[in-house]
């Protein structure tokens, strides 16, 4: 496997991923090649690969993968008109992602290279385990207005409608691209996004980003279901990562769905949902349980004893969240939820700016999130306690097949 997939790896090794070492231009032009100490050789993490999630596969990791504890999610705006430069960035990002998910530093590493150039890797993940890091890329609707991609925009990649109660902030909405970084160590996730942003300098810029500190869903039903900031078990009835039949039916884009470049991919909806935890905390236990249609201790549906007992929807209040969101109330609609809790300081009114960064994967947004959210936005008892303040939708391309493949190849290259 080559160290870098870029067109001119030795030059990049010299000048750093940010292209910041311009002063070295003369040396580079003169053909000087520095033999920088490889961060890989120097890094003890490379010996013990425990906790690494396979980067290659038919589907991108980070969707059906057992949910990690932490999230750093970033949406990017494209800053270049140069299609070739953008494609090169996707290749460079892929190579960096391949290395970071394996617990290796980016490029030539964080130290040991040319003293005159910034190191390829920023260094804060040195010595840390791969921590099950996954990096998942998505393409937003606005990307298809660029680079001659108009005809390639999937019909399923619709702009989300305005739902009742939405109070979206522009600065937390949209994006040409996104990268979802999930890991069990927050520093590993942040390092990954930071280094991708750095590699993208001049070609992309971070539009908004979101940290998540606690998973609010599970794709491993055998494991303990995590709780959200309202204190309820969340993710009880989700698609499991091992349920390949349900994943094919509800999450992965099928061969006939179109366009061909999306086969094996998925669609991601991200919503920053503020939770009014102070109001919730003054609400009676009975009201809290009525809102969800499940009890707080066990997470059992109304009238049942155990969390995983089949819900009897009619026993729940008509506006109970679970009753409204359940597939039986929605012609079978099923999405894969993968959200995280967040707290981002205060709102300036003496309350925590806290909530759920909701992430949902589905085969078609028009048959998944949109009809579901239309119903919830109109009727859900939960609406008294939450507000959607950020929103984005992305086409998540299929997985990177092998060490010669790259993120977005099926969209940008004619090659099959
Ligand atoms: C802050 C906002 C939200 C909170 C606190 C929340 C919380 C919960 C909880 C506690 C459950 C029950 C446990 C489970 O099966 O996971 C649940 C179920 C569910 N939620 Fe939410 N949820 C929120 C927003 C949403 C949104 C925006 C959607 C989709 C548009 C959604 C879709 C679902 C679905 C599909 C289920 C499973 C229903 C079933 O099959 O029984 N939720 N949610």
């Amino acid at each position: 496997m080559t160290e870098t997939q870029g067109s001119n790896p030795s030059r990049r090794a010299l000048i750093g991923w940010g292209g910041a070492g311009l002063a070295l231009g003369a040396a580079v032009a003169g053909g000087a090649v520095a033999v920088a100490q490889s961060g890989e050789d120097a890094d003890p993490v490379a010996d013990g690969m425990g906790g690494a999630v396979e980067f290659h596969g038919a589907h991108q990791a980070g969707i059906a993968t057992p949910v990690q504890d932490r999230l750093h999610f970033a949406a990017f705006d494209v800053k270049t008109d140069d299609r070739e430069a953008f494609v090169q960035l996707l290749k460079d990002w892929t190579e960096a992602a391949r290395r970071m998910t394996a617990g290796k530093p980016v490029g030539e590493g964080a130290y040991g290279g040319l003293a005159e150039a910034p190191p390829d890797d920023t260094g804060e993940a040195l010595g840390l385990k791969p921590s099950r890091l996954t990096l998942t890329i998505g393409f937003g609707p606005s990307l298809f207005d660029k680079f001659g991609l108009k005809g390639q925009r999937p019909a399923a990649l619709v702009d989300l409608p305005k739902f009742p109660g939405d109070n979206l902030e522009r600065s937390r909405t949209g994006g040409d691209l996104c990268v979802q970084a999930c890991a069990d160590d927050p520093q590993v996730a942040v390092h990954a996004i930071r280094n991708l942003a750095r590699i993208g300098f001049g070609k992309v810029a971070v539009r908004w980003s979101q940290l998540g500190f606690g998973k609010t869903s599970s794709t491993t039903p055998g494991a303990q279901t995590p709780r959200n900031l309202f204190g309820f078990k969340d993710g009880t009835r989700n698609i499991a990562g091992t349920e390949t039949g349900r994943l094919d039916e509800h999450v992965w884009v099928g061969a006939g769905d179109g366009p061909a470049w999306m086969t094996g991919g998925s669609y991601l909806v991200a919503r920053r949902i503020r939770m009014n935890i102070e109001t919730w905390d003054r609400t009676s236990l009975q009201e809290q349980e009525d809102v969800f249609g499940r009890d707080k201790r066990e997470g059992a549906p109304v009238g049942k004893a155990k969390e995983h007992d089949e819900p009897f929807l009619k026993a729940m209040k008509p506006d109970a969240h679970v009753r409204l969101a359940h597939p039986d109330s929605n012609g079978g609609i099923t999405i894969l939820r993968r959200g995280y809790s967040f707290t981002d300081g205060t709102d300036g009114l003496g309350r925590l700016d806290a909530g759920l960064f909701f992430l949902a994967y589905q085969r078609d947004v028009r048959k998944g999130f949109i009809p579901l959210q239309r119903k919830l936005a109109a009727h859900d008892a939960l609406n008294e306690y939450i507000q959607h303040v950020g929103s984005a939708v992305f086409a998540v391309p299929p997985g990177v097949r092998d060490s010669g493949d790259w993120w977005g190849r099926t969209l940008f290259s004619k090659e099959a």
Side-chain angles (χ1 to χ4, degrees), residues 183-364:
D184 290 329
D185 184 329
Q187 182 128 332
V188 169
V190 169
H191 167 265
I193 292 293
R194 175 184 176 192
N195 279 268
L196 294 181
R198 180 169 183 267
I199 292 166
F201 180 76
K203 296 175 196 161
V204 294
V206 176
R207 179 182 174 89
W208 54 267
S209 89
Q210 182 66 54
L211 285 173
F213 68 82
K215 58 185 172 185
T216 61
S217 67
S218 164
T219 54
T220 40
Q224 181 180 319
T225 309
R227 290 181 185 264
N228 60 35
L229 289 182
F230 285 159
F232 278 73
K233 289 186 183 172
D234 204 339
T236 302
R237 283 184 46 93
N238 207 8
I239 303 179
T242 47
E243 290 180 294
T244 47
R246 291 182 82 206
L247 288 165
D248 285 340
E249 192 182 345
H250 301 294
V251 177
W252 307 129
V253 176
D257 295 351
W261 70 265
M262 270 298 286
T263 304
S266 189
Y267 293 93
L268 168 63
V269 170
R271 305 279 286 184
R272 187 178 192 273
I273 308 177
R274 174 95 190 270
M275 290 159 69
N276 301 325
I277 52 176
E278 290 82 0
T279 314
W280 182 260
D281 295 345
R282 291 195 295 269
T283 302
S284 71
L285 177 61
Q286 185 63 56
E287 157 80 358
Q288 293 186 3
E289 294 186 335
D290 286 348
V291 163
F292 286 113
R294 287 182 176 270
D295 85 313
K296 198 160 192 176
R297 185 171 75 172
E298 169 66 21
V302 174
K304 300 289 177 85
K306 293 279 171 219
E307 181 190 354
H308 290 286
D309 286 350
E310 197 54 38
F312 178 51
L313 299 179
K314 288 201 174 120
M316 300 174 185
K317 297 251 157 122
D319 57 357
H321 180 69
V322 165
R323 179 167 178 171
L324 292 170
H326 194 283
D328 288 356
S329 308
N330 298 287
I333 292 176
T334 305
I335 54 176
L336 186 151
R337 289 170 290 143
R338 220 179 184 285
Y340 287 81
S341 294
F342 68 83
T343 54
D344 287 336
T346 73
D347 65 358
L349 299 168
R351 298 175 301 206
L352 288 172
D353 177 6
L356 169 64
F357 188 65
F358 175 90
L359 293 168
Y361 287 91
Q362 60 241 278
R363 186 170 170 180
D364 189 332

